[in-house]
Short mmCIF file of all heavy atoms in Angstrom, two decimals:
data_model
loop_
_atom_site.label_atom_id
_atom_site.label_comp_id
_atom_site.label_asym_id
_atom_site.label_seq_id
_atom_site.Cartn_x
_atom_site.Cartn_y
_atom_site.Cartn_z
N GLU A 1 24.67 123.87 139.92
CA GLU A 1 23.91 123.95 141.16
C GLU A 1 22.43 123.84 140.88
O GLU A 1 21.90 124.54 140.00
CB GLU A 1 24.21 125.28 141.87
CG GLU A 1 23.46 125.43 143.19
CD GLU A 1 23.77 126.73 143.91
OE1 GLU A 1 24.21 127.69 143.22
OE2 GLU A 1 23.58 126.81 145.14
N ASP A 2 21.74 122.96 141.62
CA ASP A 2 20.28 122.94 141.60
C ASP A 2 19.78 123.17 143.02
O ASP A 2 20.55 123.55 143.91
CB ASP A 2 19.73 121.65 140.97
CG ASP A 2 20.01 120.40 141.82
OD1 ASP A 2 20.48 120.54 142.98
OD2 ASP A 2 19.73 119.29 141.33
N GLU A 3 18.49 122.94 143.27
CA GLU A 3 17.91 123.23 144.59
C GLU A 3 18.47 122.31 145.67
O GLU A 3 18.32 122.60 146.87
CB GLU A 3 16.39 123.09 144.55
CG GLU A 3 15.69 123.79 143.42
CD GLU A 3 15.76 123.00 142.11
OE1 GLU A 3 15.55 121.77 142.12
OE2 GLU A 3 16.04 123.63 141.09
N THR A 4 19.12 121.20 145.28
CA THR A 4 19.56 120.22 146.26
C THR A 4 21.06 120.21 146.50
O THR A 4 21.53 119.52 147.40
CB THR A 4 19.13 118.80 145.83
OG1 THR A 4 19.86 118.41 144.66
CG2 THR A 4 17.64 118.75 145.53
N GLY A 5 21.82 120.94 145.72
CA GLY A 5 23.26 120.94 145.94
C GLY A 5 24.05 121.32 144.70
O GLY A 5 23.49 121.81 143.71
N ARG A 6 25.36 121.09 144.79
CA ARG A 6 26.27 121.41 143.69
C ARG A 6 27.01 120.16 143.25
O ARG A 6 27.21 119.23 144.05
CB ARG A 6 27.29 122.48 144.09
CG ARG A 6 26.72 123.88 144.23
CD ARG A 6 27.86 124.90 144.29
NE ARG A 6 27.36 126.26 144.42
CZ ARG A 6 28.10 127.34 144.15
NH1 ARG A 6 29.35 127.21 143.75
NH2 ARG A 6 27.60 128.55 144.29
N ALA A 7 27.43 120.16 141.99
CA ALA A 7 28.21 119.06 141.45
C ALA A 7 29.37 119.62 140.63
O ALA A 7 29.19 120.58 139.88
CB ALA A 7 27.35 118.15 140.57
N LEU A 8 30.54 119.02 140.79
CA LEU A 8 31.69 119.36 139.96
C LEU A 8 31.58 118.60 138.65
O LEU A 8 31.40 117.37 138.65
CB LEU A 8 32.98 118.97 140.68
CG LEU A 8 34.27 119.03 139.85
CD1 LEU A 8 34.61 120.46 139.47
CD2 LEU A 8 35.42 118.36 140.59
N VAL A 9 31.68 119.29 137.54
CA VAL A 9 31.62 118.66 136.21
C VAL A 9 33.02 118.70 135.62
O VAL A 9 33.58 119.78 135.41
CB VAL A 9 30.62 119.37 135.28
CG1 VAL A 9 30.59 118.70 133.91
CG2 VAL A 9 29.23 119.37 135.91
N GLU A 10 33.59 117.53 135.35
CA GLU A 10 34.92 117.46 134.78
C GLU A 10 34.87 117.66 133.27
O GLU A 10 34.01 117.09 132.59
CB GLU A 10 35.57 116.11 135.10
CG GLU A 10 35.93 115.93 136.56
CD GLU A 10 36.80 114.72 136.78
OE1 GLU A 10 36.82 113.81 135.93
OE2 GLU A 10 37.49 114.68 137.83
N SER A 11 35.79 118.45 132.76
CA SER A 11 35.82 118.75 131.33
C SER A 11 36.59 117.71 130.53
O SER A 11 36.41 117.58 129.32
CB SER A 11 36.45 120.13 131.09
OG SER A 11 37.75 120.19 131.67
N ALA A 12 37.45 116.93 131.21
CA ALA A 12 38.18 115.88 130.50
C ALA A 12 37.18 114.84 130.01
O ALA A 12 36.21 114.52 130.71
CB ALA A 12 39.20 115.24 131.44
N ASN A 13 37.39 114.33 128.81
CA ASN A 13 36.48 113.34 128.22
C ASN A 13 35.04 113.87 128.19
O ASN A 13 34.12 113.25 128.72
CB ASN A 13 36.53 112.01 129.00
CG ASN A 13 37.88 111.35 128.94
OD1 ASN A 13 38.47 111.22 127.87
ND2 ASN A 13 38.40 110.95 130.08
N SER A 14 34.87 115.03 127.58
CA SER A 14 33.54 115.62 127.48
C SER A 14 33.23 116.02 126.04
O SER A 14 34.13 116.24 125.23
CB SER A 14 33.40 116.85 128.39
OG SER A 14 34.25 117.90 127.95
N LYS A 15 31.93 116.08 125.74
CA LYS A 15 31.42 116.56 124.46
C LYS A 15 30.39 117.63 124.74
O LYS A 15 29.49 117.42 125.56
CB LYS A 15 30.77 115.43 123.66
CG LYS A 15 31.70 114.27 123.30
CD LYS A 15 32.60 114.61 122.14
CE LYS A 15 33.39 113.40 121.67
NZ LYS A 15 34.28 113.72 120.53
N THR A 16 30.52 118.78 124.07
CA THR A 16 29.61 119.89 124.34
C THR A 16 28.83 120.26 123.09
O THR A 16 29.39 120.36 122.01
CB THR A 16 30.39 121.12 124.84
OG1 THR A 16 31.11 120.77 126.03
CG2 THR A 16 29.45 122.28 125.15
N VAL A 17 27.52 120.45 123.28
CA VAL A 17 26.64 120.93 122.22
C VAL A 17 26.08 122.26 122.72
O VAL A 17 25.23 122.28 123.62
CB VAL A 17 25.49 119.95 121.94
CG1 VAL A 17 24.66 120.43 120.76
CG2 VAL A 17 26.03 118.55 121.67
N ALA A 18 26.55 123.35 122.18
CA ALA A 18 26.21 124.66 122.72
C ALA A 18 25.46 125.52 121.71
O ALA A 18 25.70 125.43 120.51
CB ALA A 18 27.47 125.39 123.18
N ALA A 19 24.54 126.34 122.22
CA ALA A 19 23.82 127.28 121.37
C ALA A 19 24.78 128.37 120.91
O ALA A 19 25.56 128.90 121.69
CB ALA A 19 22.66 127.89 122.15
N SER A 20 24.73 128.70 119.62
CA SER A 20 25.68 129.66 119.06
C SER A 20 24.96 130.90 118.55
O SER A 20 23.74 130.92 118.38
CB SER A 20 26.46 129.03 117.90
OG SER A 20 25.58 128.73 116.84
N GLU A 21 25.72 131.93 118.29
CA GLU A 21 25.20 133.14 117.66
C GLU A 21 26.22 133.67 116.67
O GLU A 21 27.43 133.47 116.84
CB GLU A 21 24.88 134.20 118.72
CG GLU A 21 26.07 134.62 119.56
CD GLU A 21 25.69 135.67 120.60
OE1 GLU A 21 25.05 136.66 120.22
OE2 GLU A 21 26.05 135.48 121.78
N GLU A 22 25.71 134.32 115.64
CA GLU A 22 26.61 134.90 114.66
C GLU A 22 27.12 136.23 115.18
O GLU A 22 26.35 137.07 115.66
CB GLU A 22 25.91 135.09 113.32
CG GLU A 22 26.85 135.61 112.23
CD GLU A 22 26.23 135.55 110.83
OE1 GLU A 22 25.08 135.08 110.71
OE2 GLU A 22 26.91 135.99 109.88
N ILE A 23 28.43 136.43 115.11
CA ILE A 23 29.06 137.63 115.63
C ILE A 23 29.45 138.53 114.47
O ILE A 23 30.14 138.10 113.53
CB ILE A 23 30.31 137.29 116.46
CG1 ILE A 23 29.97 136.26 117.56
CG2 ILE A 23 30.92 138.55 117.06
CD1 ILE A 23 28.95 136.73 118.54
N GLU A 24 29.02 139.76 114.51
CA GLU A 24 29.39 140.73 113.49
C GLU A 24 30.81 141.22 113.76
O GLU A 24 31.12 141.69 114.85
CB GLU A 24 28.41 141.91 113.48
CG GLU A 24 26.99 141.54 113.05
CD GLU A 24 26.91 141.14 111.59
OE1 GLU A 24 27.78 141.59 110.80
OE2 GLU A 24 26.00 140.38 111.23
N VAL A 25 31.66 141.11 112.77
CA VAL A 25 33.03 141.56 112.89
C VAL A 25 33.24 142.73 111.94
O VAL A 25 33.04 142.61 110.72
CB VAL A 25 34.02 140.43 112.55
CG1 VAL A 25 35.45 140.95 112.56
CG2 VAL A 25 33.86 139.30 113.56
N GLY A 26 33.60 143.89 112.49
CA GLY A 26 33.74 145.08 111.67
C GLY A 26 35.05 145.12 110.90
O GLY A 26 35.83 144.17 110.90
N ASP A 27 35.30 146.24 110.24
CA ASP A 27 36.54 146.42 109.52
C ASP A 27 37.72 146.42 110.49
O ASP A 27 37.59 146.75 111.67
CB ASP A 27 36.53 147.76 108.76
CG ASP A 27 35.46 147.77 107.68
OD1 ASP A 27 35.11 146.67 107.20
OD2 ASP A 27 34.97 148.86 107.35
N SER A 28 38.87 146.08 109.97
CA SER A 28 40.05 145.97 110.83
C SER A 28 40.37 147.29 111.53
O SER A 28 40.90 147.29 112.63
CB SER A 28 41.25 145.50 110.01
OG SER A 28 41.51 146.42 108.94
N GLU A 29 40.04 148.40 110.92
CA GLU A 29 40.33 149.69 111.54
C GLU A 29 39.50 149.90 112.80
O GLU A 29 39.90 150.62 113.71
CB GLU A 29 40.07 150.83 110.55
CG GLU A 29 41.04 150.85 109.37
CD GLU A 29 40.77 152.02 108.45
OE1 GLU A 29 39.84 152.80 108.74
OE2 GLU A 29 41.49 152.17 107.45
N ASP A 30 38.30 149.30 112.84
CA ASP A 30 37.42 149.45 113.99
C ASP A 30 37.51 148.27 114.95
O ASP A 30 36.78 148.22 115.94
CB ASP A 30 35.96 149.60 113.52
CG ASP A 30 35.78 150.81 112.61
OD1 ASP A 30 36.43 151.83 112.87
OD2 ASP A 30 35.01 150.71 111.64
N ALA A 31 38.36 147.31 114.67
CA ALA A 31 38.41 146.08 115.45
C ALA A 31 38.94 146.34 116.86
O ALA A 31 39.77 147.21 117.08
CB ALA A 31 39.29 145.04 114.75
N SER A 32 38.44 145.54 117.79
CA SER A 32 38.94 145.63 119.16
C SER A 32 40.33 145.03 119.24
O SER A 32 40.79 144.32 118.34
CB SER A 32 37.99 144.86 120.09
OG SER A 32 38.05 143.47 119.78
N GLU A 33 41.00 145.32 120.34
CA GLU A 33 42.33 144.76 120.53
C GLU A 33 42.27 143.24 120.58
O GLU A 33 43.17 142.55 120.08
CB GLU A 33 42.94 145.30 121.82
CG GLU A 33 44.38 144.89 122.05
CD GLU A 33 45.30 145.35 120.93
OE1 GLU A 33 45.10 146.46 120.40
OE2 GLU A 33 46.24 144.59 120.60
N ARG A 34 41.18 142.69 121.15
CA ARG A 34 41.03 141.24 121.21
C ARG A 34 40.95 140.65 119.80
O ARG A 34 41.59 139.65 119.50
CB ARG A 34 39.77 140.88 121.99
CG ARG A 34 39.50 139.37 122.06
CD ARG A 34 38.29 139.08 122.93
NE ARG A 34 38.55 139.51 124.28
CZ ARG A 34 39.21 138.78 125.18
NH1 ARG A 34 39.68 137.61 124.84
NH2 ARG A 34 39.41 139.23 126.38
N LEU A 35 40.17 141.31 118.91
CA LEU A 35 40.05 140.81 117.54
C LEU A 35 41.36 140.96 116.79
O LEU A 35 41.75 140.08 116.02
CB LEU A 35 38.93 141.54 116.80
CG LEU A 35 38.68 141.11 115.36
CD1 LEU A 35 38.41 139.61 115.27
CD2 LEU A 35 37.53 141.90 114.74
N ARG A 36 42.05 142.04 117.01
CA ARG A 36 43.35 142.23 116.35
C ARG A 36 44.32 141.10 116.73
O ARG A 36 45.02 140.54 115.89
CB ARG A 36 43.95 143.59 116.74
CG ARG A 36 43.22 144.80 116.16
CD ARG A 36 43.86 146.08 116.67
NE ARG A 36 43.10 147.26 116.30
CZ ARG A 36 43.25 147.91 115.15
NH1 ARG A 36 44.13 147.49 114.27
NH2 ARG A 36 42.52 148.99 114.88
N SER A 37 44.34 140.77 118.02
CA SER A 37 45.22 139.70 118.48
C SER A 37 44.79 138.36 117.89
O SER A 37 45.63 137.54 117.51
CB SER A 37 45.20 139.63 120.01
OG SER A 37 45.68 140.83 120.57
N PHE A 38 43.48 138.16 117.83
CA PHE A 38 42.95 136.91 117.26
C PHE A 38 43.38 136.75 115.80
O PHE A 38 43.87 135.70 115.39
CB PHE A 38 41.43 136.93 117.36
CG PHE A 38 40.75 135.79 116.65
CD1 PHE A 38 40.62 134.55 117.25
CD2 PHE A 38 40.24 135.96 115.37
CE1 PHE A 38 40.00 133.51 116.59
CE2 PHE A 38 39.62 134.92 114.70
CZ PHE A 38 39.50 133.68 115.32
N LEU A 39 43.23 137.80 115.02
CA LEU A 39 43.59 137.73 113.60
C LEU A 39 45.09 137.58 113.41
O LEU A 39 45.54 136.87 112.51
CB LEU A 39 43.09 138.98 112.88
CG LEU A 39 41.57 139.15 112.79
CD1 LEU A 39 41.21 140.48 112.15
CD2 LEU A 39 40.94 138.01 112.02
N ALA A 40 45.87 138.24 114.27
CA ALA A 40 47.32 138.14 114.14
C ALA A 40 47.81 136.72 114.34
O ALA A 40 48.80 136.30 113.74
CB ALA A 40 47.99 139.08 115.15
N ALA A 41 47.09 135.95 115.18
CA ALA A 41 47.50 134.57 115.46
C ALA A 41 46.89 133.57 114.50
O ALA A 41 47.25 132.39 114.54
CB ALA A 41 47.11 134.21 116.90
N ARG A 42 45.98 134.01 113.64
CA ARG A 42 45.27 133.09 112.74
C ARG A 42 45.21 133.71 111.35
O ARG A 42 44.21 134.31 110.95
CB ARG A 42 43.87 132.79 113.28
CG ARG A 42 43.89 132.12 114.66
CD ARG A 42 42.59 132.30 115.38
NE ARG A 42 42.60 131.69 116.70
CZ ARG A 42 43.05 132.28 117.80
NH1 ARG A 42 43.57 133.51 117.72
NH2 ARG A 42 43.01 131.67 118.97
N SER A 43 46.27 133.54 110.62
CA SER A 43 46.41 134.21 109.33
C SER A 43 45.36 133.76 108.33
O SER A 43 44.98 134.53 107.45
CB SER A 43 47.80 133.97 108.76
OG SER A 43 48.05 132.59 108.58
N VAL A 44 44.86 132.52 108.46
CA VAL A 44 43.88 132.03 107.50
C VAL A 44 42.60 132.87 107.56
O VAL A 44 41.96 133.14 106.53
CB VAL A 44 43.57 130.54 107.74
CG1 VAL A 44 42.93 130.32 109.11
CG2 VAL A 44 42.68 129.99 106.64
#
């Protein structure tokens, strides 16, 4: 949305360049449920 209206942006056939940040990940004992699930699905 800008001052003149809104536009639908389709995600199909898109390339994204996004600003990133480093995320601190604590020990597994202190990990959130989301992180536990993430690690369980990604053994590497």
Side-chain angles (χ1 to χ4, degrees):
E1 181 179 22
D2 68 8
E3 311 80 44
T4 68
R6 288 194 180 198
L8 169 67
V9 180
E10 290 191 339
S11 56
N13 296 312
S14 66
K15 299 282 187 180
T16 301
V17 185
S20 65
E21 59 180 311
E22 184 169 359
I23 307 299
E24 293 292 335
V25 175
D27 296 334
S28 59
E29 292 182 0
D30 300 323
S32 66
E33 186 59 37
R34 178 176 297 277
L35 180 56
R36 290 177 188 273
S37 298
F38 172 83
L39 294 176
R42 299 159 181 86
S43 59
V44 64

